[in-house]
PDB file of all heavy atoms in Angstrom:
ATOM      1  N   ASN A  24      12.897  -7.266  -4.498  1.00  0.00           N
ATOM      2  CA  ASN A  24      13.632  -6.516  -5.518  1.00  0.00           C
ATOM      3  C   ASN A  24      12.707  -5.902  -6.565  1.00  0.00           C
ATOM      4  O   ASN A  24      12.994  -5.907  -7.753  1.00  0.00           O
ATOM      5  CB  ASN A  24      14.688  -7.391  -6.189  1.00  0.00           C
ATOM      6  CG  ASN A  24      15.775  -7.802  -5.229  1.00  0.00           C
ATOM      7  OD1 ASN A  24      16.270  -6.989  -4.452  1.00  0.00           O
ATOM      8  ND2 ASN A  24      16.123  -9.079  -5.250  1.00  0.00           N
ATOM      9  N   GLY A  25      11.550  -5.423  -6.102  1.00  0.00           N
ATOM     10  CA  GLY A  25      10.616  -4.743  -6.993  1.00  0.00           C
ATOM     11  C   GLY A  25       9.690  -5.651  -7.771  1.00  0.00           C
ATOM     12  O   GLY A  25       8.863  -5.177  -8.545  1.00  0.00           O
ATOM     13  N   GLU A  26       9.808  -6.957  -7.574  1.00  0.00           N
ATOM     14  CA  GLU A  26       8.911  -7.869  -8.290  1.00  0.00           C
ATOM     15  C   GLU A  26       7.457  -7.625  -7.881  1.00  0.00           C
ATOM     16  O   GLU A  26       6.548  -7.683  -8.708  1.00  0.00           O
ATOM     17  CB  GLU A  26       9.276  -9.326  -8.010  1.00  0.00           C
ATOM     18  CG  GLU A  26       8.416 -10.299  -8.760  1.00  0.00           C
ATOM     19  CD  GLU A  26       8.829 -11.741  -8.575  1.00  0.00           C
ATOM     20  OE1 GLU A  26       9.833 -12.017  -7.899  1.00  0.00           O
ATOM     21  OE2 GLU A  26       8.122 -12.601  -9.132  1.00  0.00           O
ATOM     22  N   PHE A  27       7.251  -7.344  -6.601  1.00  0.00           N
ATOM     23  CA  PHE A  27       5.937  -6.971  -6.090  1.00  0.00           C
ATOM     24  C   PHE A  27       6.025  -5.530  -5.615  1.00  0.00           C
ATOM     25  O   PHE A  27       6.525  -5.255  -4.530  1.00  0.00           O
ATOM     26  CB  PHE A  27       5.518  -7.870  -4.913  1.00  0.00           C
ATOM     27  CG  PHE A  27       5.177  -9.264  -5.325  1.00  0.00           C
ATOM     28  CD1 PHE A  27       6.146 -10.251  -5.319  1.00  0.00           C
ATOM     29  CD2 PHE A  27       3.892  -9.588  -5.721  1.00  0.00           C
ATOM     30  CE1 PHE A  27       5.843 -11.542  -5.691  1.00  0.00           C
ATOM     31  CE2 PHE A  27       3.580 -10.880  -6.102  1.00  0.00           C
ATOM     32  CZ  PHE A  27       4.561 -11.863  -6.090  1.00  0.00           C
ATOM     33  N   THR A  28       5.578  -4.618  -6.454  1.00  0.00           N
ATOM     34  CA  THR A  28       5.613  -3.213  -6.057  1.00  0.00           C
ATOM     35  C   THR A  28       4.551  -2.981  -4.983  1.00  0.00           C
ATOM     36  O   THR A  28       3.592  -3.749  -4.873  1.00  0.00           O
ATOM     37  CB  THR A  28       5.337  -2.272  -7.242  1.00  0.00           C
ATOM     38  OG1 THR A  28       4.000  -2.506  -7.707  1.00  0.00           O
ATOM     39  CG2 THR A  28       6.352  -2.486  -8.370  1.00  0.00           C
ATOM     40  N   LYS A  29       4.741  -1.922  -4.214  1.00  0.00           N
ATOM     41  CA  LYS A  29       3.741  -1.625  -3.182  1.00  0.00           C
ATOM     42  C   LYS A  29       2.390  -1.334  -3.813  1.00  0.00           C
ATOM     43  O   LYS A  29       1.352  -1.675  -3.245  1.00  0.00           O
ATOM     44  CB  LYS A  29       4.210  -0.504  -2.270  1.00  0.00           C
ATOM     45  CG  LYS A  29       4.405   0.816  -2.948  1.00  0.00           C
ATOM     46  CD  LYS A  29       4.934   1.853  -1.979  1.00  0.00           C
ATOM     47  CE  LYS A  29       5.120   3.175  -2.700  1.00  0.00           C
ATOM     48  NZ  LYS A  29       5.663   4.199  -1.830  1.00  0.00           N
ATOM     49  N   GLU A  30       2.387  -0.755  -5.001  1.00  0.00           N
ATOM     50  CA  GLU A  30       1.132  -0.473  -5.690  1.00  0.00           C
ATOM     51  C   GLU A  30       0.422  -1.769  -6.089  1.00  0.00           C
ATOM     52  O   GLU A  30      -0.796  -1.892  -5.908  1.00  0.00           O
ATOM     53  CB  GLU A  30       1.379   0.394  -6.928  1.00  0.00           C
ATOM     54  CG  GLU A  30       1.843   1.797  -6.629  1.00  0.00           C
ATOM     55  CD  GLU A  30       3.344   1.917  -6.347  1.00  0.00           C
ATOM     56  OE1 GLU A  30       4.089   0.940  -6.563  1.00  0.00           O
ATOM     57  OE2 GLU A  30       3.756   2.989  -5.891  1.00  0.00           O
ATOM     58  N   ALA A  31       1.169  -2.721  -6.632  1.00  0.00           N
ATOM     59  CA  ALA A  31       0.569  -3.990  -7.055  1.00  0.00           C
ATOM     60  C   ALA A  31       0.062  -4.770  -5.843  1.00  0.00           C
ATOM     61  O   ALA A  31      -1.080  -5.244  -5.838  1.00  0.00           O
ATOM     62  CB  ALA A  31       1.576  -4.825  -7.833  1.00  0.00           C
ATOM     63  N   GLU A  32       0.905  -4.880  -4.830  1.00  0.00           N
ATOM     64  CA  GLU A  32       0.517  -5.615  -3.628  1.00  0.00           C
ATOM     65  C   GLU A  32      -0.702  -4.966  -2.972  1.00  0.00           C
ATOM     66  O   GLU A  32      -1.645  -5.643  -2.564  1.00  0.00           O
ATOM     67  CB  GLU A  32       1.689  -5.670  -2.651  1.00  0.00           C
ATOM     68  CG  GLU A  32       1.413  -6.413  -1.383  1.00  0.00           C
ATOM     69  CD  GLU A  32       1.213  -7.897  -1.557  1.00  0.00           C
ATOM     70  OE1 GLU A  32       1.534  -8.454  -2.618  1.00  0.00           O
ATOM     71  OE2 GLU A  32       0.726  -8.516  -0.610  1.00  0.00           O
ATOM     72  N   GLY A  33      -0.706  -3.656  -2.888  1.00  0.00           N
ATOM     73  CA  GLY A  33      -1.852  -2.946  -2.328  1.00  0.00           C
ATOM     74  C   GLY A  33      -3.109  -3.163  -3.149  1.00  0.00           C
ATOM     75  O   GLY A  33      -4.208  -3.298  -2.607  1.00  0.00           O
ATOM     76  N   SER A  34      -2.951  -3.230  -4.467  1.00  0.00           N
ATOM     77  CA  SER A  34      -4.105  -3.479  -5.345  1.00  0.00           C
ATOM     78  C   SER A  34      -4.687  -4.861  -5.115  1.00  0.00           C
ATOM     79  O   SER A  34      -5.905  -5.041  -5.143  1.00  0.00           O
ATOM     80  CB  SER A  34      -3.699  -3.327  -6.813  1.00  0.00           C
ATOM     81  OG  SER A  34      -3.410  -1.991  -7.106  1.00  0.00           O
ATOM     82  N   TYR A  35      -3.811  -5.856  -4.899  1.00  0.00           N
ATOM     83  CA  TYR A  35      -4.305  -7.201  -4.575  1.00  0.00           C
ATOM     84  C   TYR A  35      -5.107  -7.152  -3.274  1.00  0.00           C
ATOM     85  O   TYR A  35      -6.208  -7.680  -3.186  1.00  0.00           O
ATOM     86  CB  TYR A  35      -3.168  -8.201  -4.399  1.00  0.00           C
ATOM     87  CG  TYR A  35      -2.314  -8.431  -5.622  1.00  0.00           C
ATOM     88  CD1 TYR A  35      -0.936  -8.590  -5.495  1.00  0.00           C
ATOM     89  CD2 TYR A  35      -2.860  -8.518  -6.895  1.00  0.00           C
ATOM     90  CE1 TYR A  35      -0.133  -8.810  -6.597  1.00  0.00           C
ATOM     91  CE2 TYR A  35      -2.062  -8.740  -8.010  1.00  0.00           C
ATOM     92  CZ  TYR A  35      -0.692  -8.884  -7.847  1.00  0.00           C
ATOM     93  OH  TYR A  35       0.103  -9.112  -8.933  1.00  0.00           O
ATOM     94  N   GLU A  36      -4.529  -6.506  -2.276  1.00  0.00           N
ATOM     95  CA  GLU A  36      -5.149  -6.478  -0.956  1.00  0.00           C
ATOM     96  C   GLU A  36      -6.448  -5.675  -0.930  1.00  0.00           C
ATOM     97  O   GLU A  36      -7.322  -5.945  -0.110  1.00  0.00           O
ATOM     98  CB  GLU A  36      -4.166  -5.927   0.076  1.00  0.00           C
ATOM     99  CG  GLU A  36      -3.005  -6.867   0.326  1.00  0.00           C
ATOM    100  CD  GLU A  36      -2.023  -6.351   1.351  1.00  0.00           C
ATOM    101  OE1 GLU A  36      -2.249  -5.261   1.935  1.00  0.00           O
ATOM    102  OE2 GLU A  36      -1.011  -7.042   1.581  1.00  0.00           O
ATOM    103  N   ARG A  37      -6.581  -4.704  -1.796  1.00  0.00           N
ATOM    104  CA  ARG A  37      -7.806  -3.900  -1.859  1.00  0.00           C
ATOM    105  C   ARG A  37      -8.818  -4.473  -2.851  1.00  0.00           C
ATOM    106  O   ARG A  37      -9.859  -3.865  -3.097  1.00  0.00           O
ATOM    107  CB  ARG A  37      -7.482  -2.453  -2.230  1.00  0.00           C
ATOM    108  CG  ARG A  37      -6.819  -1.672  -1.118  1.00  0.00           C
ATOM    109  CD  ARG A  37      -6.663  -0.204  -1.472  1.00  0.00           C
ATOM    110  NE  ARG A  37      -5.973   0.019  -2.737  1.00  0.00           N
ATOM    111  CZ  ARG A  37      -4.650   0.018  -2.897  1.00  0.00           C
ATOM    112  NH1 ARG A  37      -3.859  -0.211  -1.862  1.00  0.00           N
ATOM    113  NH2 ARG A  37      -4.116   0.234  -4.079  1.00  0.00           N
ATOM    114  N   ASN A  38      -8.488  -5.631  -3.416  1.00  0.00           N
ATOM    115  CA  ASN A  38      -9.381  -6.299  -4.359  1.00  0.00           C
ATOM    116  C   ASN A  38      -9.606  -5.463  -5.614  1.00  0.00           C
ATOM    117  O   ASN A  38     -10.691  -5.431  -6.167  1.00  0.00           O
ATOM    118  CB  ASN A  38     -10.710  -6.638  -3.682  1.00  0.00           C
ATOM    119  CG  ASN A  38     -11.570  -7.552  -4.519  1.00  0.00           C
ATOM    120  OD1 ASN A  38     -11.062  -8.280  -5.355  1.00  0.00           O
ATOM    121  ND2 ASN A  38     -12.855  -7.503  -4.309  1.00  0.00           N
ATOM    122  N   ARG A  39      -8.582  -4.795  -6.062  1.00  0.00           N
ATOM    123  CA  ARG A  39      -8.671  -3.995  -7.285  1.00  0.00           C
ATOM    124  C   ARG A  39      -7.912  -4.654  -8.434  1.00  0.00           C
ATOM    125  O   ARG A  39      -7.953  -4.175  -9.556  1.00  0.00           O
ATOM    126  CB  ARG A  39      -8.123  -2.595  -7.038  1.00  0.00           C
ATOM    127  CG  ARG A  39      -8.837  -1.846  -5.952  1.00  0.00           C
ATOM    128  CD  ARG A  39      -8.920  -0.382  -6.277  1.00  0.00           C
ATOM    129  NE  ARG A  39      -9.439   0.422  -5.194  1.00  0.00           N
ATOM    130  CZ  ARG A  39     -10.698   0.527  -4.838  1.00  0.00           C
ATOM    131  NH1 ARG A  39     -11.600  -0.185  -5.456  1.00  0.00           N
ATOM    132  NH2 ARG A  39     -11.066   1.319  -3.858  1.00  0.00           N
ATOM    133  N   ARG A  40      -7.232  -5.729  -8.122  1.00  0.00           N
ATOM    134  CA  ARG A  40      -6.422  -6.412  -9.125  1.00  0.00           C
ATOM    135  C   ARG A  40      -6.388  -7.899  -8.789  1.00  0.00           C
ATOM    136  O   ARG A  40      -6.240  -8.276  -7.634  1.00  0.00           O
ATOM    137  CB  ARG A  40      -5.011  -5.824  -9.072  1.00  0.00           C
ATOM    138  CG  ARG A  40      -4.061  -6.330 -10.097  1.00  0.00           C
ATOM    139  CD  ARG A  40      -2.762  -5.543  -9.972  1.00  0.00           C
ATOM    140  NE  ARG A  40      -1.813  -5.966 -10.968  1.00  0.00           N
ATOM    141  CZ  ARG A  40      -0.630  -5.439 -11.121  1.00  0.00           C
ATOM    142  NH1 ARG A  40      -0.228  -4.458 -10.312  1.00  0.00           N
ATOM    143  NH2 ARG A  40       0.186  -5.856 -12.050  1.00  0.00           N
ATOM    144  N   ASN A  41      -6.546  -8.742  -9.804  1.00  0.00           N
ATOM    145  CA  ASN A  41      -6.465 -10.186  -9.616  1.00  0.00           C
ATOM    146  C   ASN A  41      -5.012 -10.618  -9.490  1.00  0.00           C
ATOM    147  O   ASN A  41      -4.131 -10.043 -10.122  1.00  0.00           O
ATOM    148  CB  ASN A  41      -7.091 -10.921 -10.790  1.00  0.00           C
ATOM    149  CG  ASN A  41      -8.579 -10.714 -10.880  1.00  0.00           C
ATOM    150  OD1 ASN A  41      -9.226 -10.426  -9.889  1.00  0.00           O
ATOM    151  ND2 ASN A  41      -9.128 -10.849 -12.072  1.00  0.00           N
ATOM    152  N   ILE A  42      -4.795 -11.652  -8.711  1.00  0.00           N
ATOM    153  CA  ILE A  42      -3.459 -12.213  -8.580  1.00  0.00           C
ATOM    154  C   ILE A  42      -3.454 -13.589  -9.237  1.00  0.00           C
ATOM    155  O   ILE A  42      -4.408 -14.355  -9.078  1.00  0.00           O
ATOM    156  CB  ILE A  42      -3.030 -12.302  -7.097  1.00  0.00           C
ATOM    157  CG1 ILE A  42      -1.561 -12.699  -6.977  1.00  0.00           C
ATOM    158  CG2 ILE A  42      -3.932 -13.225  -6.305  1.00  0.00           C
ATOM    159  CD1 ILE A  42      -0.985 -12.533  -5.586  1.00  0.00           C
ATOM    160  N   THR A  43      -2.409 -13.872  -9.998  1.00  0.00           N
ATOM    161  CA  THR A  43      -2.297 -15.180 -10.642  1.00  0.00           C
ATOM    162  C   THR A  43      -1.800 -16.198  -9.622  1.00  0.00           C
ATOM    163  O   THR A  43      -1.231 -15.837  -8.579  1.00  0.00           O
ATOM    164  CB  THR A  43      -1.311 -15.146 -11.830  1.00  0.00           C
ATOM    165  OG1 THR A  43      -0.010 -14.844 -11.333  1.00  0.00           O
ATOM    166  CG2 THR A  43      -1.749 -14.119 -12.873  1.00  0.00           C
ATOM    167  N   LEU A  44      -2.004 -17.445  -9.923  1.00  0.00           N
ATOM    168  CA  LEU A  44      -1.543 -18.508  -9.034  1.00  0.00           C
ATOM    169  C   LEU A  44      -0.033 -18.451  -8.867  1.00  0.00           C
ATOM    170  O   LEU A  44       0.480 -18.608  -7.754  1.00  0.00           O
ATOM    171  CB  LEU A  44      -1.985 -19.872  -9.562  1.00  0.00           C
ATOM    172  CG  LEU A  44      -1.555 -21.074  -8.725  1.00  0.00           C
ATOM    173  CD1 LEU A  44      -2.077 -20.957  -7.293  1.00  0.00           C
ATOM    174  CD2 LEU A  44      -2.025 -22.360  -9.383  1.00  0.00           C
ATOM    175  N   SER A  45       0.691 -18.211  -9.945  1.00  0.00           N
ATOM    176  CA  SER A  45       2.156 -18.186  -9.839  1.00  0.00           C
ATOM    177  C   SER A  45       2.617 -17.042  -8.934  1.00  0.00           C
ATOM    178  O   SER A  45       3.540 -17.216  -8.127  1.00  0.00           O
ATOM    179  CB  SER A  45       2.812 -18.087 -11.216  1.00  0.00           C
ATOM    180  OG  SER A  45       2.464 -16.885 -11.854  1.00  0.00           O
ATOM    181  N   ARG A  46       1.970 -15.893  -9.014  1.00  0.00           N
ATOM    182  CA  ARG A  46       2.339 -14.770  -8.136  1.00  0.00           C
ATOM    183  C   ARG A  46       1.905 -15.047  -6.694  1.00  0.00           C
ATOM    184  O   ARG A  46       2.603 -14.693  -5.754  1.00  0.00           O
ATOM    185  CB  ARG A  46       1.759 -13.470  -8.659  1.00  0.00           C
ATOM    186  CG  ARG A  46       2.522 -13.057  -9.941  1.00  0.00           C
ATOM    187  CD  ARG A  46       2.212 -11.724 -10.480  1.00  0.00           C
ATOM    188  NE  ARG A  46       2.477 -10.580  -9.657  1.00  0.00           N
ATOM    189  CZ  ARG A  46       3.667  -9.998  -9.480  1.00  0.00           C
ATOM    190  NH1 ARG A  46       4.739 -10.511 -10.055  1.00  0.00           N
ATOM    191  NH2 ARG A  46       3.782  -8.914  -8.747  1.00  0.00           N
ATOM    192  N   LEU A  47       0.767 -15.701  -6.526  1.00  0.00           N
ATOM    193  CA  LEU A  47       0.325 -16.088  -5.195  1.00  0.00           C
ATOM    194  C   LEU A  47       1.350 -17.025  -4.545  1.00  0.00           C
ATOM    195  O   LEU A  47       1.719 -16.854  -3.383  1.00  0.00           O
ATOM    196  CB  LEU A  47      -1.042 -16.763  -5.280  1.00  0.00           C
ATOM    197  CG  LEU A  47      -1.625 -17.330  -4.001  1.00  0.00           C
ATOM    198  CD1 LEU A  47      -1.841 -16.243  -2.958  1.00  0.00           C
ATOM    199  CD2 LEU A  47      -2.931 -18.053  -4.296  1.00  0.00           C
ATOM    200  N   LEU A  48       1.841 -17.976  -5.309  1.00  0.00           N
ATOM    201  CA  LEU A  48       2.848 -18.901  -4.794  1.00  0.00           C
ATOM    202  C   LEU A  48       4.149 -18.171  -4.446  1.00  0.00           C
ATOM    203  O   LEU A  48       4.792 -18.486  -3.445  1.00  0.00           O
ATOM    204  CB  LEU A  48       3.110 -20.019  -5.801  1.00  0.00           C
ATOM    205  CG  LEU A  48       1.964 -21.022  -5.957  1.00  0.00           C
ATOM    206  CD1 LEU A  48       2.209 -21.917  -7.166  1.00  0.00           C
ATOM    207  CD2 LEU A  48       1.775 -21.833  -4.700  1.00  0.00           C
ATOM    208  N   LYS A  49       4.525 -17.196  -5.259  1.00  0.00           N
ATOM    209  CA  LYS A  49       5.729 -16.411  -4.961  1.00  0.00           C
ATOM    210  C   LYS A  49       5.559 -15.620  -3.675  1.00  0.00           C
ATOM    211  O   LYS A  49       6.486 -15.516  -2.872  1.00  0.00           O
ATOM    212  CB  LYS A  49       6.070 -15.482  -6.124  1.00  0.00           C
ATOM    213  CG  LYS A  49       6.637 -16.208  -7.309  1.00  0.00           C
ATOM    214  CD  LYS A  49       6.960 -15.252  -8.438  1.00  0.00           C
ATOM    215  CE  LYS A  49       7.428 -16.020  -9.659  1.00  0.00           C
ATOM    216  NZ  LYS A  49       7.744 -15.116 -10.772  1.00  0.00           N
ATOM    217  N   LEU A  50       4.371 -15.057  -3.472  1.00  0.00           N
ATOM    218  CA  LEU A  50       4.128 -14.333  -2.226  1.00  0.00           C
ATOM    219  C   LEU A  50       4.191 -15.274  -1.030  1.00  0.00           C
ATOM    220  O   LEU A  50       4.705 -14.901   0.028  1.00  0.00           O
ATOM    221  CB  LEU A  50       2.766 -13.637  -2.251  1.00  0.00           C
ATOM    222  CG  LEU A  50       2.747 -12.221  -2.773  1.00  0.00           C
ATOM    223  CD1 LEU A  50       1.328 -11.649  -2.696  1.00  0.00           C
ATOM    224  CD2 LEU A  50       3.699 -11.316  -2.017  1.00  0.00           C
ATOM    225  N   CYS A  51       3.695 -16.470  -1.184  1.00  0.00           N
ATOM    226  CA  CYS A  51       3.800 -17.455  -0.107  1.00  0.00           C
ATOM    227  C   CYS A  51       5.268 -17.715   0.216  1.00  0.00           C
ATOM    228  O   CYS A  51       5.638 -17.815   1.395  1.00  0.00           O
ATOM    229  CB  CYS A  51       3.100 -18.753  -0.492  1.00  0.00           C
ATOM    230  SG  CYS A  51       1.301 -18.632  -0.471  1.00  0.00           S
ATOM    231  N   ASP A  52       6.109 -17.796  -0.787  1.00  0.00           N
ATOM    232  CA  ASP A  52       7.546 -17.964  -0.559  1.00  0.00           C
ATOM    233  C   ASP A  52       8.121 -16.770   0.191  1.00  0.00           C
ATOM    234  O   ASP A  52       8.911 -16.936   1.114  1.00  0.00           O
ATOM    235  CB  ASP A  52       8.299 -18.136  -1.880  1.00  0.00           C
ATOM    236  CG  ASP A  52       8.082 -19.498  -2.514  1.00  0.00           C
ATOM    237  OD1 ASP A  52       7.612 -20.424  -1.819  1.00  0.00           O
ATOM    238  OD2 ASP A  52       8.374 -19.631  -3.721  1.00  0.00           O
ATOM    239  N   VAL A  53       7.728 -15.573  -0.206  1.00  0.00           N
ATOM    240  CA  VAL A  53       8.206 -14.353   0.451  1.00  0.00           C
ATOM    241  C   VAL A  53       7.813 -14.365   1.926  1.00  0.00           C
ATOM    242  O   VAL A  53       8.608 -14.020   2.797  1.00  0.00           O
ATOM    243  CB  VAL A  53       7.646 -13.096  -0.248  1.00  0.00           C
ATOM    244  CG1 VAL A  53       7.918 -11.839   0.570  1.00  0.00           C
ATOM    245  CG2 VAL A  53       8.236 -12.951  -1.646  1.00  0.00           C
ATOM    246  N   TYR A  54       6.587 -14.785   2.204  1.00  0.00           N
ATOM    247  CA  TYR A  54       6.080 -14.781   3.572  1.00  0.00           C
ATOM    248  C   TYR A  54       6.459 -16.046   4.342  1.00  0.00           C
ATOM    249  O   TYR A  54       6.106 -16.190   5.502  1.00  0.00           O
ATOM    250  CB  TYR A  54       4.562 -14.621   3.577  1.00  0.00           C
ATOM    251  CG  TYR A  54       4.066 -13.330   2.979  1.00  0.00           C
ATOM    252  CD1 TYR A  54       2.795 -13.241   2.449  1.00  0.00           C
ATOM    253  CD2 TYR A  54       4.851 -12.187   2.939  1.00  0.00           C
ATOM    254  CE1 TYR A  54       2.318 -12.054   1.908  1.00  0.00           C
ATOM    255  CE2 TYR A  54       4.382 -11.004   2.394  1.00  0.00           C
ATOM    256  CZ  TYR A  54       3.115 -10.941   1.887  1.00  0.00           C
ATOM    257  OH  TYR A  54       2.649  -9.776   1.347  1.00  0.00           O
ATOM    258  N   VAL A  55       7.140 -16.957   3.657  1.00  0.00           N
ATOM    259  CA  VAL A  55       7.564 -18.237   4.233  1.00  0.00           C
ATOM    260  C   VAL A  55       6.367 -18.967   4.850  1.00  0.00           C
ATOM    261  O   VAL A  55       6.339 -19.310   6.029  1.00  0.00           O
ATOM    262  CB  VAL A  55       8.698 -18.055   5.268  1.00  0.00           C
ATOM    263  CG1 VAL A  55       9.303 -19.397   5.639  1.00  0.00           C
ATOM    264  CG2 VAL A  55       9.774 -17.109   4.759  1.00  0.00           C
ATOM    265  N   VAL A  56       5.382 -19.172   4.009  1.00  0.00           N
ATOM    266  CA  VAL A  56       4.171 -19.880   4.410  1.00  0.00           C
ATOM    267  C   VAL A  56       3.720 -20.734   3.227  1.00  0.00           C
ATOM    268  O   VAL A  56       3.904 -20.348   2.074  1.00  0.00           O
ATOM    269  CB  VAL A  56       3.068 -18.878   4.845  1.00  0.00           C
ATOM    270  CG1 VAL A  56       2.633 -18.003   3.708  1.00  0.00           C
ATOM    271  CG2 VAL A  56       1.893 -19.577   5.474  1.00  0.00           C
ATOM    272  N   SER A  57       3.170 -21.887   3.510  1.00  0.00           N
ATOM    273  CA  SER A  57       2.723 -22.755   2.417  1.00  0.00           C
ATOM    274  C   SER A  57       1.371 -22.296   1.890  1.00  0.00           C
ATOM    275  O   SER A  57       0.571 -21.694   2.620  1.00  0.00           O
ATOM    276  CB  SER A  57       2.623 -24.211   2.892  1.00  0.00           C
ATOM    277  OG  SER A  57       1.512 -24.366   3.752  1.00  0.00           O
ATOM    278  N   ILE A  58       1.131 -22.604   0.642  1.00  0.00           N
ATOM    279  CA  ILE A  58      -0.166 -22.281   0.042  1.00  0.00           C
ATOM    280  C   ILE A  58      -1.271 -23.045   0.772  1.00  0.00           C
ATOM    281  O   ILE A  58      -2.372 -22.533   0.944  1.00  0.00           O
ATOM    282  CB  ILE A  58      -0.180 -22.565  -1.487  1.00  0.00           C
ATOM    283  CG1 ILE A  58      -1.463 -22.052  -2.147  1.00  0.00           C
ATOM    284  CG2 ILE A  58      -0.017 -24.038  -1.766  1.00  0.00           C
ATOM    285  CD1 ILE A  58      -1.575 -20.569  -2.222  1.00  0.00           C
ATOM    286  N   ASP A  59      -0.954 -24.240   1.249  1.00  0.00           N
ATOM    287  CA  ASP A  59      -1.927 -25.023   2.015  1.00  0.00           C
ATOM    288  C   ASP A  59      -2.374 -24.263   3.255  1.00  0.00           C
ATOM    289  O   ASP A  59      -3.562 -24.219   3.570  1.00  0.00           O
ATOM    290  CB  ASP A  59      -1.339 -26.366   2.446  1.00  0.00           C
ATOM    291  CG  ASP A  59      -0.994 -27.272   1.281  1.00  0.00           C
ATOM    292  OD1 ASP A  59      -1.415 -26.978   0.150  1.00  0.00           O
ATOM    293  OD2 ASP A  59      -0.304 -28.272   1.513  1.00  0.00           O
ATOM    294  N   THR A  60      -1.423 -23.673   3.951  1.00  0.00           N
ATOM    295  CA  THR A  60      -1.737 -22.905   5.156  1.00  0.00           C
ATOM    296  C   THR A  60      -2.648 -21.730   4.822  1.00  0.00           C
ATOM    297  O   THR A  60      -3.609 -21.460   5.542  1.00  0.00           O
ATOM    298  CB  THR A  60      -0.446 -22.399   5.822  1.00  0.00           C
ATOM    299  OG1 THR A  60       0.352 -23.538   6.173  1.00  0.00           O
ATOM    300  CG2 THR A  60      -0.729 -21.574   7.048  1.00  0.00           C
ATOM    301  N   VAL A  61      -2.349 -21.052   3.740  1.00  0.00           N
ATOM    302  CA  VAL A  61      -3.160 -19.908   3.325  1.00  0.00           C
ATOM    303  C   VAL A  61      -4.586 -20.356   3.012  1.00  0.00           C
ATOM    304  O   VAL A  61      -5.556 -19.744   3.482  1.00  0.00           O
ATOM    305  CB  VAL A  61      -2.541 -19.194   2.104  1.00  0.00           C
ATOM    306  CG1 VAL A  61      -3.466 -18.117   1.561  1.00  0.00           C
ATOM    307  CG2 VAL A  61      -1.183 -18.604   2.467  1.00  0.00           C
ATOM    308  N   ILE A  62      -4.719 -21.414   2.261  1.00  0.00           N
ATOM    309  CA  ILE A  62      -6.046 -21.895   1.868  1.00  0.00           C
ATOM    310  C   ILE A  62      -6.832 -22.398   3.075  1.00  0.00           C
ATOM    311  O   ILE A  62      -8.007 -22.053   3.251  1.00  0.00           O
ATOM    312  CB  ILE A  62      -5.945 -22.981   0.775  1.00  0.00           C
ATOM    313  CG1 ILE A  62      -5.423 -22.335  -0.517  1.00  0.00           C
ATOM    314  CG2 ILE A  62      -7.281 -23.663   0.557  1.00  0.00           C
ATOM    315  CD1 ILE A  62      -5.052 -23.324  -1.586  1.00  0.00           C
ATOM    316  N   ILE A  63      -6.176 -23.157   3.938  1.00  0.00           N
ATOM    317  CA  ILE A  63      -6.864 -23.669   5.127  1.00  0.00           C
ATOM    318  C   ILE A  63      -7.309 -22.519   6.017  1.00  0.00           C
ATOM    319  O   ILE A  63      -8.446 -22.499   6.493  1.00  0.00           O
ATOM    320  CB  ILE A  63      -5.964 -24.666   5.893  1.00  0.00           C
ATOM    321  CG1 ILE A  63      -5.844 -25.956   5.075  1.00  0.00           C
ATOM    322  CG2 ILE A  63      -6.504 -24.940   7.287  1.00  0.00           C
ATOM    323  CD1 ILE A  63      -4.762 -26.903   5.566  1.00  0.00           C
ATOM    324  N   HIS A  64      -6.441 -21.550   6.235  1.00  0.00           N
ATOM    325  CA  HIS A  64      -6.807 -20.393   7.065  1.00  0.00           C
ATOM    326  C   HIS A  64      -7.970 -19.628   6.440  1.00  0.00           C
ATOM    327  O   HIS A  64      -8.868 -19.156   7.139  1.00  0.00           O
ATOM    328  CB  HIS A  64      -5.603 -19.473   7.273  1.00  0.00           C
ATOM    329  CG  HIS A  64      -5.885 -18.355   8.209  1.00  0.00           C
ATOM    330  ND1 HIS A  64      -6.494 -17.187   7.818  1.00  0.00           N
ATOM    331  CD2 HIS A  64      -5.660 -18.231   9.535  1.00  0.00           C
ATOM    332  CE1 HIS A  64      -6.623 -16.389   8.862  1.00  0.00           C
ATOM    333  NE2 HIS A  64      -6.131 -16.988   9.915  1.00  0.00           N
TER     334      HIS A  64
END
């Protein structure tokens, strides 16, 4: 619902913008993956 705009998400992925832990956790929820899985991978 616009919480993660395509511009913001793209900026994270292109390493042009830092992501906070709380937003990282929200993205994990969106992707239905645990933060543990992300870190281990």
Side-chain angles (χ1 to χ4, degrees):
N24 294 316
E26 182 176 357
F27 289 92
T28 64
K29 63 183 180 182
E30 292 82 10
E32 181 68 14
S34 291
Y35 298 141
E36 292 180 3
R37 287 187 306 278
N38 191 24
R39 301 215 188 283
R40 184 175 182 178
N41 293 335
I42 188 168
T43 64
L44 180 58
S45 63
R46 289 188 61 80
L47 176 61
L48 289 169
K49 287 180 184 180
L50 269 182
C51 287
D52 286 344
V53 169
Y54 298 155
V55 191
V56 64
S57 72
I58 188 70
D59 296 348
T60 300
V61 173
I62 292 170
I63 289 168
H64 185 277

